[in-house]
Amino acid sequence: MLTIHRVRGVRRAPDGAADPGHAVVVSGDRIEAVGPYEELYERYGDRARVRDWNGVLTPGRHEPDGAALLETAYHPDPREAGELGTAPLTGDALTALGMTETRWGASARRGVQRLLATGTTSISGPFTHPAVRTAVTRSGLRDRPGPQALAPGAHADFAVFTEDGRCVVTVLGGRLVYRGR
């Protein structure tokens, strides 16, 4: 199915200027087209759903310390907040938890969700811990040096941010993986 992501503007490269009134068309896991919304709607509107987002669509953020963030910290479950707090635990606090494979996997999944909520679309490894590597792979986050430019044929990995920098939505491989409030 085709989806037109209509936004206030599209920033094709992480450091580029936003093109106001532009939109992105996604087909499956790839970008089909980028251009002025009116032109894209005329071309694809009869066979595409339209998603309206209040912000600027960008290639998303890159987390260069992904391996350290996920492999050397425990991201507490909300049910543990009373006992452990909500911030990631490292060092002696991490050692005291007695981490198991199951606990590492759950922590990594919560860490990945936190990254997606900030508009992160790429992350750097290497991921040596099996449970962390599995969580990253299943999330759709790509282990690469940085986000790719938004262009036809590229992976449909992007995020939409408001003027104040809040992430509205994160899309990986054409799938909506995070939607803010």
Side-chain angles (χ1 to χ4, degrees):
M1 165 170 238
L2 291 172
T3 303
I4 301 173
H5 293 272
R6 182 181 186 182
V7 290
R8 293 185 181 265
V10 174
R11 182 174 293 123
R12 294 174 192 241
D15 56 355
D19 295 321
H22 277 51
V24 173
V25 178
V26 173
S27 177
D29 67 346
R30 301 290 175 159
I31 293 175
E32 176 82 15
V34 180
Y37 170 74
E38 300 302 331
E39 291 176 20
L40 295 178
Y41 187 79
E42 185 176 312
R43 184 171 168 195
Y44 297 100
D46 62 337
R47 55 196 167 107
R49 69 178 165 192
V50 177
R51 291 203 179 253
D52 283 302
W53 307 113
N54 185 18
V56 174
L57 191 147
T58 75
R61 294 188 171 137
H62 174 70
E63 178 52 61
D65 297 324
L69 180 70
L70 298 175
E71 292 193 345
T72 63
Y74 176 70
H75 300 270
D77 185 292
R79 296 170 291 190
E80 300 172 309
E83 177 187 350
L84 301 175
T86 57
L89 303 174
T90 59
D92 291 340
L94 176 65
T95 304
L97 286 176
M99 297 297 287
T100 63
E101 283 300 303
T102 302
R103 203 164 202 183
W104 269 120
S107 171
R109 287 189 298 278
R110 289 188 295 272
V112 164
Q113 285 303 310
R114 287 179 179 177
L115 290 171
L116 295 175
T118 65
T120 300
T121 56
S122 66
I123 189 168
S124 290
F127 300 98
T128 57
H129 197 285
V132 174
R133 187 172 46 248
T134 297
V136 170
T137 301
R138 287 183 178 170
S139 74
L141 280 170
R142 298 187 200 287
D143 180 1
R144 60 181 178 215
Q148 296 180 331
L150 301 175
H155 286 282
D157 299 342
F158 53 83
V160 178
F161 297 96
T162 59
E163 283 184 26
D164 64 1
R166 185 177 51 84
C167 181
V168 175
V169 66
T170 304
V171 173
L172 295 176
R175 293 179 309 119
L176 188 69
V177 295
Y178 171 77
R179 184 175 187 169
R181 298 171 202 237

